[in-house]
Every structure is written in structure tokens, then in C-alpha cells.
Amino acid sequence: VRPEKGFPCMYGPAVNTLKRLGVEVRLKENIKSIRKEGQTFVMLTGNDVIQATNIINTMPVQHIYKHLNSGVDAGLECVTLATIFISFAERNKFDAPILYNWGPLGRWKRLTVHSDYYGLRDGMQYASVEIPIFRAPNIDINNLFADFVSSSKAYRILGERINLEGFELVENAYPAHIAGAGDKKRKAMSRLNSLGFQSVGRQGRFDYLPTGQQVVNQVKKNLRV
């Protein structure tokens, strides 16, 4: 089950503004390698070669390491975020648009009720449920949905009528701060800095940044271009 296609791209206005300013936007480029020649970065992508004096990296640290083709592994791990989209008839005990799960039941961490902002659809409320997943090679969405429904009934959060409408998986959503990750991160960032990469964002700097404003503040602090 996948979400409906055809929704307008929320980043469209930003991309159009950049294009009007003369910025070339390329999406889904297949990066094969990145190397440094003097003061210039040389990036091989598909059948093209791109040269630049600066690279601002927001990719996960372990991914940029692979593109360097040095045989060195950053040794960092990340958490995948599964988001299931649900519709439901009624809810109990809470009226806020966002509910966090601090209890012992259920793998989910956050429920966001979007119909509070956009209204009902066919008489149903709808929401997204976020579920962090670590070191799980096989992800079964139906099992995750069943787990949420079971905990919802135990907590008496929602009524009996809950439907699975779709899902989305985001790899490398959060850095995994397990034992030893701090030292590995410092070594990895030191190497990238010595090569001249400018690393920003949650993935680019292996930082847990829970809000958009924190991401913006970090980018302003670290960006040198």
C-alpha cells in the first residue's frame, strides 16, 4: 500500500525561485565518485563530470564516505523512520493534534492528526504515525499497523474503526547514538573538514536535530559559502 500519487510538490516554489536566480537544479543524479584535485572537487555522475570549488553536503556521513571510494567506512549507523497513514472514526482522551507515546506498549513514537488542520474526509479523521526502526532488514508495514492498533486499544486512544491508508519509509532519518558513535563521528567529520566539505543538517553532521529551526540555526552557524 502506498500513498496516493500526484500530490503537488511542496518544494516546487523553492526550486522555481532558485532557477530564476540562475541555480541549476538536478534531481536523482547517480553519484559514482567524488575526488579532490587541488582546490577543486570533481564529481562523476552517470555520464557527466561536475567540477566545483565548494560542496555543501547534507547526505548521511556514511554515504559521502562511500562516494570518496577510499575503502574507509565511517562506521556510523542510522535509524529508519516508517510513517503509516491512517484514518479513524473517533478518538478518546486527547484533543491535541500531536500525541507522543511514552508508554511501554507500541513501537510508535508520535501521532499527528492532520484532519485537525485540514478537516475530515468522508467523515473520517486522518493522521500519520511515526515508528523508528533500527537494524531491521525486513520491515512489515502490516505488522507495524497491527502493533499500533493493539497499543491504541490498550491505551484507549482511538475507537475501533482504524484503517491503514498508506505508508512511507525514510532511511537515515536519525543518527543512531550507540556506544562508540561519538568518537567515530568526530573522526569522520574531521576527515571531511580536512577535504573541504561543508557538512550541514541532521544527516550531514550526524546530529539529532528534532526541529526545523534547529536545522536552520545549525546551517547558519556552519555554512562558509
Side-chain angles (χ1 to χ4, degrees):
V1 182
R2 301 293 292 174
E4 293 180 294
K5 296 181 179 179
F7 291 136
C9 176
M10 63 182 295
Y11 298 106
V15 170
N16 292 334
T17 299
L18 291 172
K19 288 181 176 179
R20 286 196 297 269
L21 294 173
V23 176
E24 181 181 355
V25 178
R26 302 189 185 189
L27 303 177
K28 297 183 179 180
E29 286 284 353
N30 179 22
I31 300 175
K32 293 185 176 180
S33 66
I34 302 174
R35 66 181 186 273
K36 191 77 176 287
E37 294 183 356
Q39 298 301 312
T40 303
F41 288 100
V42 180
M43 181 185 300
L44 179 63
T45 66
N47 297 319
D48 201 1
V49 176
I50 301 173
Q51 296 185 346
T53 55
N54 293 284
I55 288 183
I56 301 170
N57 176 55
T58 62
M59 287 191 296
V61 176
Q62 62 271 28
H63 283 198
I64 198 72
Y65 257 60
K66 291 179 181 178
H67 294 318
L68 295 176
N69 291 340
S70 63
V72 178
D73 189 342
L76 298 172
E77 297 183 77
C78 290
V79 175
T80 294
L81 183 65
T83 303
I84 58 175
F85 307 118
I86 64 170
S87 61
F88 56 95
E90 60 181 343
R91 68 203 209 210
N92 308 306
K93 293 188 176 181
F94 78 102
D95 55 10
I98 297 177
L99 180 68
Y100 288 87
N101 179 19
W102 300 106
L105 303 178
R107 299 177 60 181
W108 59 282
K109 71 162 189 172
R110 180 166 55 198
L111 167 70
T112 303
V113 184
H114 303 288
S115 50
D116 280 1
Y117 296 99
Y118 304 110
L120 304 182
R121 183 173 182 178
D122 297 328
M124 298 287 284
Q125 302 180 61
Y126 53 94
S128 60
V129 182
E130 297 172 71
I131 307 161
I133 301 172
F134 183 54
R135 292 179 178 174
N138 299 312
I139 299 173
D140 189 319
I141 295 300
N142 289 320
N143 283 345
L144 294 178
F145 174 64
D147 176 77
F148 169 75
V149 171
S150 175
S151 65
S152 172
K153 290 180 178 179
Y155 291 139
R156 299 180 182 176
I157 296 173
L158 304 179
E160 291 292 323
R161 188 179 171 191
I162 307 173
N163 305 314
L164 176 63
E165 302 291 348
F167 73 92
E168 189 65 62
L169 296 176
V170 178
E171 297 181 352
N172 306 298
Y174 301 107
H177 291 294
I178 57 179
D183 289 337
K184 291 178 181 178
K185 171 194 170 179
R186 283 186 285 274
K187 291 178 181 178
M189 298 309 301
S190 176
R191 183 179 180 221
L192 293 177
N193 290 338
S194 68
L195 291 172
F197 285 94
Q198 297 186 59
S199 301
V200 296
R202 179 188 293 160
Q203 288 86 356
R205 297 188 66 85
F206 201 76
D207 278 343
Y208 178 74
L209 302 171
T211 68
Q213 188 58 53
Q214 285 179 287
V215 174
V216 171
N217 293 340
Q218 186 213 66
V219 170
K220 289 180 178 180
K221 177 181 177 181
N222 292 285
L223 201 59
R224 301 189 300 272
V225 174

